[in-house]
Amino acid sequence: MRLPMIILLVLTIWKAGNGSRANELKVDGKVLELDESNFDSAISSFDYILVDFYAPWCGHCKRLSPQLDEAAPVLAGLNEPIVLAKVNADKFTRLASKHDIDGYPTLKFFMHGVPMEYNGPRKADLLVQYLKKFVAPDVSILSSDSAINDFVEAAGTFFPIYIGFGLNETVISNLAVKYKKKAWFSVAKDFSDDAMVLYDFDKVPSLVALHPSYKQQSVFYGPFEDSFLGDFVKQNLLPLVVPLNHETLKLLKDEERKVVLTILNDEDEDQSQNLIKLLKAAASANPDLVFSYVGVEQWEDFADKFEANQKTKLPKMIVWNGNEEYFSVGYWC
């Protein structure tokens, strides 16, 4: 066979192979099955892809699978499509090991090829709402009261929300990019007096921080300079007082401030609720610290790490660095 014919044959085979791979990885609203042969190609082909590392025998994985099937076509239909995929980590162990998978199911979200742990909800509709955050504009422009309401409703309760009233989007654009994975950002160009009452601010420009899940909000009136504005945004990524559980503990992972942790007997007791109100007041006056609490009844194993249990004197207050180091401040009377 002459050399030109060999080259033509090789090119034909190469194009056919790549054509089948392209069809395999198209966005069609279905959950893609990935393995060691196509995983890297999928990650590089799609800007946004959520991967479920599962095991066929895992009960939690079996319950998650139909939720992903339901969410996949909705996410594929977004202006910026998000692809859902899954890997049999029990079969493709090298691939699982490469991505530090040590439990099932483990979800990882890849943004432009960069992975992050997915710690959001796993029910289809809530999963869709959560993931929409990552393909939303860095700063949404809102032009009416109804647009503001729609934005807050669509954002849901998973992330803090920042709304700049009478603020130019360029003022917060850098922070919006920096905290893209942690919060929603918007500016309201037009709004009524009713909006000022609803969001509890009395002059513009102002930046309102909302924590819908904790029913908390804070207002910043300036100065709108990088350091002051950045401190406000960073400090309000967390609620005033953080109730510690398996999910909220992850919020403290990158926190540089010291944590003032109050260990209660039972978070739901009236006495505890009154103490939490005092903690909120202390948190407002001390933004350089993170205030949090946990009940022995709610999370006994965690409280025990700080030598606090049903037999010790409570409430107990400690200052904690988020890792192993802590020291006791004392006990509430």
Coordinates of all heavy atoms in Angstrom, one line a residue, residues 2 25 35 37 39 44 85 102 121 137 182 184 203 218 255 260 311 332:
R2 N 0.6 2.2 -0.9 CA 1.4 3.4 -1.0 C 1.2 4.3 0.2 O 0.1 4.2 0.9 CB 1.0 4.2 -2.3 CG 1.5 3.4 -3.6 CD 1.1 4.3 -4.8 NE -0.3 4.4 -4.9 CZ -0.9 5.2 -5.8 NH1 -0.1 5.8 -6.7 NH2 -2.2 5.3 -5.9
L25 N -20.2 11.9 24.3 CA -20.1 12.9 25.3 C -21.0 14.1 25.0 O -20.7 15.2 25.6 CB -18.6 13.4 25.4 CG -17.6 12.3 25.9 CD1 -16.2 12.9 26.0 CD2 -18.1 11.8 27.3
D35 N -15.8 6.2 32.5 CA -14.8 5.2 33.0 C -13.4 5.7 32.7 O -13.3 6.9 32.4 CB -15.1 3.8 32.4 CG -15.1 3.9 30.8 OD1 -14.3 4.7 30.3 OD2 -15.9 3.2 30.2
S37 N -11.6 5.3 30.3 CA -11.3 5.6 28.9 C -11.8 7.0 28.5 O -11.3 7.6 27.5 CB -11.9 4.5 28.0 OG -13.3 4.6 28.0
F39 N -13.1 9.5 31.0 CA -13.3 10.5 32.1 C -12.6 11.8 31.8 O -13.2 12.9 31.9 CB -12.8 9.9 33.4 CG -13.0 10.7 34.6 CD1 -14.2 10.5 35.4 CD2 -12.1 11.7 35.0 CE1 -14.5 11.3 36.5 CE2 -12.4 12.5 36.1 CZ -13.6 12.3 36.8
S44 N -12.6 17.7 30.3 CA -12.1 18.7 29.4 C -13.1 19.2 28.4 O -13.0 20.3 27.9 CB -10.8 18.2 28.7 OG -11.1 17.1 27.9
A85 N -22.9 13.2 35.5 CA -22.2 11.9 35.1 C -22.0 11.0 36.3 O -22.1 11.5 37.4 CB -20.8 12.3 34.4
D102 N -13.2 7.9 49.0 CA -13.2 6.9 50.1 C -14.5 6.5 50.7 O -14.6 5.9 51.7 CB -12.2 7.4 51.2 CG -12.6 8.7 51.7 OD1 -13.7 9.2 51.4 OD2 -11.9 9.3 52.5
P121 N -27.5 19.7 48.5 CA -28.6 18.8 48.6 C -28.6 17.8 47.4 O -28.0 18.0 46.4 CB -29.9 19.7 48.5 CG -29.4 20.9 47.7 CD -28.0 21.1 48.1
P137 N -24.7 34.7 36.5 CA -23.7 35.9 36.3 C -23.0 36.2 37.6 O -23.6 35.9 38.7 CB -24.7 37.0 35.9 CG -25.9 36.4 35.4 CD -26.1 35.1 36.1
K182 N -19.4 30.8 46.9 CA -19.9 30.8 48.2 C -21.1 31.7 48.4 O -21.7 31.7 49.5 CB -18.8 31.3 49.2 CG -17.6 30.3 49.3 CD -16.6 30.8 50.3 CE -15.4 29.8 50.4 NZ -14.4 30.2 51.5
W184 N -24.3 34.6 46.5 CA -24.9 35.3 45.3 C -24.6 36.8 45.5 O -24.7 37.3 46.6 CB -26.4 35.1 45.4 CG -26.9 33.7 45.1 CD1 -27.1 32.7 46.0 CD2 -27.3 33.2 43.8 NE1 -27.6 31.6 45.4 CE2 -27.7 31.8 44.1 CE3 -27.4 33.7 42.5 CZ2 -28.2 31.0 43.1 CZ3 -27.8 32.8 41.5 CH2 -28.2 31.5 41.8
K203 N -30.7 54.4 53.6 CA -30.1 55.3 52.7 C -29.3 54.5 51.7 O -29.0 53.3 51.9 CB -29.1 56.3 53.5 CG -28.0 55.6 54.2 CD -27.1 56.6 54.9 CE -26.0 55.9 55.7 NZ -25.1 56.9 56.3
S218 N -27.8 41.8 57.4 CA -26.9 42.9 57.9 C -26.8 44.0 56.8 O -27.0 43.7 55.6 CB -25.5 42.4 58.2 OG -25.5 41.4 59.2
E255 N -12.0 29.2 57.2 CA -12.1 30.4 58.1 C -10.8 30.7 58.8 O -10.2 29.8 59.5 CB -13.2 30.2 59.1 CG -13.5 31.4 60.0 CD -13.8 32.6 59.2 OE1 -14.8 32.6 58.4 OE2 -13.1 33.6 59.3
V260 N -15.4 31.3 68.6 CA -15.8 31.2 70.0 C -17.0 30.3 70.0 O -18.1 30.6 69.5 CB -16.3 32.6 70.5 CG1 -16.8 32.6 71.9 CG2 -15.1 33.6 70.4
K311 N -22.3 15.1 82.0 CA -21.9 15.1 83.3 C -21.0 16.3 83.7 O -20.7 16.5 84.9 CB -21.1 13.8 83.6 CG -21.9 12.6 83.4 CD -21.0 11.3 83.7 CE -21.8 10.1 83.5 NZ -21.0 8.8 83.8
W332 N -20.9 29.6 81.5 CA -21.9 30.6 81.7 C -22.7 30.3 83.0 O -22.9 29.2 83.4 CB -22.9 30.5 80.6 CG -22.4 31.0 79.3 CD1 -21.6 30.3 78.4 CD2 -22.6 32.3 78.7 NE1 -21.3 31.1 77.3 CE2 -22.0 32.3 77.4 CE3 -23.3 33.4 79.0 CZ2 -22.0 33.4 76.6 CZ3 -23.4 34.5 78.2 CH2 -22.7 34.5 77.0

